[in-house]
Amino acid sequence: MECNVTLKDLAGMIDNTNLKVDVQREDLEKLCRESIKYGFKSVAVNHSSIKYCRQLLAGTGVGIVTGVSYPLGTNTLEEKLFETKHTIEIGATEIDYVINISELRAKNYDYMKKEMEEILKVCRQNNVLCKVILETYYLTDDEIIAMCKIASEVKPDFIKTSTGQIQGGGAKVEHVRLIKEALGDSGVQVKAAGGIKTLEDALNMIEAGATRLGTSSGTKIMEEYMERFS
């Protein structure tokens, strides 16, 4: 396997993830300790874990990602805005919100644009990154392209493939390529998430155009890299 990514660069693309419903403090401590050790971009945790992770990560430069309307995306816009504001207040540095797939399926593009604009506005006001989760498992190529067209106008920081909560419905290389192509030179980046368990998975997503990876296997990927290339 060829690798054109340095260990440091790879680590800086990873959102080290633990979104388990039964996560314990020792799990969060391990997540944060490993994220500091390898220099991961951030940890991705549920709302109730944000404050504790903020304490553990203070002064380290490792960010905190959390989901909004996660994982279904069916909350109203007002609820999503409340979640966004609240989670930023308690320490989130990046927001990954799930789109309303029902509205997209109904071709209510005005709603999809308004949802994106309003959530992005809150993020921008607080110097927080905004990622838009499509959940590509449910979408046609045309629907993915339609969302990328909206994103190219609104300019969130990332389009993200998946929540990672659907069995077999994680990131697909072909979807990363489609999103990357549809975004063109808009400046919006691509995050691949769900099912990225090995170094090969990670490198394939990067080759396809992803600049951020959501994975619960961050440490394993780092260890595999060092074993092969260091």
Side-chain angles (χ1 to χ4, degrees), residues 79-174:
E79 290 169 325
K80 289 180 179 180
L81 289 170
F82 175 84
E83 276 190 69
T84 301
K85 293 171 185 176
H86 176 67
T87 52
I88 291 172
E89 286 173 0
I90 61 176
T93 60
E94 303 189 16
I95 296 295
D96 291 16
Y97 86 86
V98 187
I99 66 167
N100 189 315
I101 293 172
S102 295
E103 294 294 344
L104 174 59
R105 185 60 49 83
K107 294 182 169 52
N108 190 351
Y109 301 131
D110 288 342
Y111 181 92
M112 304 311 296
K113 184 176 183 181
K114 179 178 175 59
E115 180 180 75
M116 194 182 297
E117 287 175 335
E118 292 294 320
I119 294 173
L120 178 62
K121 180 180 179 181
V122 174
C123 291
R124 288 285 181 264
Q125 289 171 342
N126 291 279
N127 196 30
V128 165
L129 294 186
C130 178
K131 307 192 201 82
V132 181
I133 306 176
L134 301 188
E135 201 66 281
T136 51
Y137 176 83
Y138 291 113
L139 306 183
T140 65
D141 286 359
D142 286 344
E143 288 166 341
I144 292 171
I145 291 168
M147 283 304 301
C148 290
K149 181 178 179 181
I150 292 170
S152 294
E153 298 174 8
V154 178
K155 297 190 185 305
D157 297 285
F158 287 83
I159 290 291
K160 178 178 171 183
T161 60
S162 325
T163 62
Q165 298 301 305
I166 299 174
Q167 189 69 30
K172 307 293 183 188
V173 167
E174 57 268 28

Side-chain angles (χ1 to χ4, degrees), residues 171-187:
K172 307 293 183 188
V173 167
E174 57 268 28
H175 285 151
V176 173
R177 286 202 181 101
L178 177 64
I179 293 167
K180 178 67 175 175
E181 181 179 353
L183 290 171
D185 60 358
S186 65

Side-chain angles (χ1 to χ4, degrees), residues 40-66:
F40 292 138
K41 182 66 176 179
S42 69
V43 298
V45 296
N46 291 314
H47 297 181
S48 59
S49 302
I50 293 173
K51 287 185 178 180
Y52 190 54
C53 288
R54 184 178 66 181
Q55 295 173 19
L56 296 173
L57 295 170
T60 67
V62 179
I64 300 174
V65 176
T66 200

Side-chain angles (χ1 to χ4, degrees), residues 159-225:
I159 290 291
K160 178 178 171 183
T161 60
S162 325
T163 62
Q165 298 301 305
I166 299 174
Q167 189 69 30
K172 307 293 183 188
V173 167
E174 57 268 28
H175 285 151
V176 173
R177 286 202 181 101
L178 177 64
I179 293 167
K180 178 67 175 175
E181 181 179 353
L183 290 171
D185 60 358
S186 65
V188 181
Q189 300 178 68
V190 185
K191 176 177 174 179
I196 303 172
K197 299 182 181 301
T198 67
L199 177 62
E200 183 176 6
D201 292 336
L203 295 179
N204 284 340
M205 294 300 169
I206 294 168
E207 189 277 331
T211 55
R212 190 75 71 88
L213 308 173
T215 177
S216 58
S217 300
T219 294
K220 177 178 178 292
I221 290 169
M222 289 293 102
E223 290 173 347
E224 189 177 348
Y225 185 105

